[in-house]
Amino acid sequence: QVQLVESGGGLVQPGGSLRLSCAASGSIFSINTMGWHRQAPGKQRELVATITSGGSTNYANSVKGRFTISRDNAKNTVYLQMNSLKPEDAAVYYCNAGIRRYGSPITRDYWGQGTQVTVSS
């Protein structure tokens, strides 16, 4: 079984910072691209950032220059450093990863349970 668990969410004032973590565990053969999405109440889920197994990154325009995605392959963990937070960044943040399990011929996406980020004003 494969599991992704996010942590690091919380309450922060506008202009503040948070670092989110997401650790994958289980019978993992390999992890390809990892990423972060977010969803605010009444809004569509949107992609925030992705990072490939080789370290190539991609960001939504709304967060570029403020957020940084990184990963630690030895720990099967992806991070999202969020700086200069704005009220519009408030959402539930979900991590995802393309994972191939031992004994499986395919790679598929897995999702975490989400962690709440609240930006007060």
Side-chain angles (χ1 to χ4, degrees):
Q1 186 64 43
V2 171
Q3 186 178 24
L4 298 178
V5 179
E6 300 100 333
S7 62
L11 174 65
V12 65
Q13 293 183 337
S17 297
L18 284 173
R19 189 173 83 149
L20 307 183
S21 300
C22 175
S25 62
S27 184
I28 298 170
F29 177 76
S30 62
I31 303 178
N32 293 319
T33 299
M34 306 183 81
W36 291 92
H37 293 69
R38 66 187 182 187
Q39 188 167 28
K43 300 293 189 294
Q44 299 177 21
R45 186 174 296 192
E46 63 177 350
L47 184 144
V48 176
T50 61
I51 182 167
T52 69
S53 60
S56 180
T57 59
N58 189 36
Y59 298 92
N61 288 335
S62 59
V63 307
K64 193 170 182 65
R66 300 187 298 120
F67 291 10
T68 302
I69 189 171
S70 61
R71 63 192 286 170
D72 184 335
N73 291 331
K75 296 181 179 180
N76 290 337
T77 299
V78 62
Y79 306 93
L80 186 68
Q81 178 67 47
M82 304 184 295
N83 299 326
S84 302
L85 282 161
K86 305 175 180 179
E88 48 262 52
D89 295 319
V92 177
Y93 283 70
Y94 300 89
C95 72
N96 80 292
I99 296 175
R100 182 172 182 172
R101 298 176 63 186
Y102 281 110
S104 175
I106 62 168
T107 298
R108 56 151 286 185
D109 280 355
Y110 291 81
W111 289 84
Q113 82 289 346
T115 186
Q116 178 72 52
V117 172
T118 302
V119 184
S120 68
S121 60

